[in-house]
Structure formats: C-alpha cells, structure tokens
Amino acid sequence: MKNLIIKGHLSIENSKGHLMGMGKKELLEKIRETGSIKAAATEMKISYRHAWEMIKKMNAIADAPLVVKNTGGSSGGGTVVTKEGEELIACYIKLNAAFEAFKTQICKTI
C-alpha cells in the first residue's frame, strides 16, 4: 500500500482532562509573545472569550497555573506564561516532533 499518509494530532492529557493540543500551545506562545490575551486572540482570529475559556480550562487541569493575569496599575497589567506553562510548551514541541517523525517513519514501512 504505497502513498499512504498517516494523520493525527498530539494531545496531552492528565487525569483531570485535556491539557494541551496544537491550538492551546499556539495560544500560550502568542500570549508569551504579546503579553496579552486580547492580542493573542486577535492574532489567532478567535474571540477573547474563547481564549480566556481555554486558559481557564488549562489552569484548572494543570497542577499549577500556566498563565497568570496581572491587573492594571502603573505598569498596565498584562498576561504572563508561567514557568510551568513554558515547560509544557517545550514538552509539547519535543513530543510533537517525535510524533511527526514516527508518522513519517511508519508510512515508509507500510
């Protein structure tokens, strides 16, 4: 069976539920880049509400918050991806690279 393509997407879960997939990883990366949920949502072409719901779910499922909001003040507030969030992004990238390599390799052996 030549020319088969294996498709699938990596999803990271824990005992509480779905922690991260490609969309959530992208959201965390955009928040890290912009320092803003609103700006990240705009770049991803999703609503602020949807982005905030994704963050609330991730924070509830994770062992420690992945994103924290800093409210107003003289520094203007903003949003930060935590150390735990950064570690999860790095983990997802590493696992996804291995998953993509596996998909490519398995297609060669079928």
Side-chain angles (χ1 to χ4, degrees):
M1 291 194 255
K2 296 197 180 230
N3 300 321
L4 291 181
I5 299 170
I6 305 295
K7 293 190 173 190
H9 301 281
L10 183 67
S11 176
I12 298 176
E13 299 184 4
N14 65 17
S15 61
K16 296 176 189 175
H18 179 262
L19 188 56
M20 181 171 281
M22 187 61 76
K24 289 178 178 177
K25 179 198 72 87
E26 182 182 359
L27 178 59
L28 291 184
E29 289 175 325
K30 297 286 184 189
I31 290 169
R32 177 179 59 203
E33 292 168 14
T34 64
S36 163
I37 297 170
K38 184 175 190 243
T42 300
E43 284 191 24
M44 291 180 67
K45 297 180 175 45
I46 62 174
S47 70
Y48 173 85
R49 180 183 173 125
H50 181 64
W52 181 235
E53 288 299 319
M54 290 170 67
I55 292 164
K56 286 194 319 188
K57 286 179 184 176
M58 282 189 286
N59 280 347
I61 291 169
D63 293 335
L66 305 178
V67 174
V68 293
K69 282 177 69 170
N70 298 317
T71 54
S74 60
S75 63
T79 305
V80 177
V81 177
T82 64
K83 177 180 170 244
E84 292 79 6
E86 293 290 350
E87 289 171 355
L88 187 59
I89 292 169
C91 177
Y92 185 89
I93 290 169
K94 184 176 180 179
L95 289 172
N96 195 55
F99 183 59
E100 292 298 324
F102 168 76
K103 290 189 307 184
T104 301
Q105 184 59 37
I106 200 72
C107 285
K108 293 177 183 177
T109 63
I110 298 178

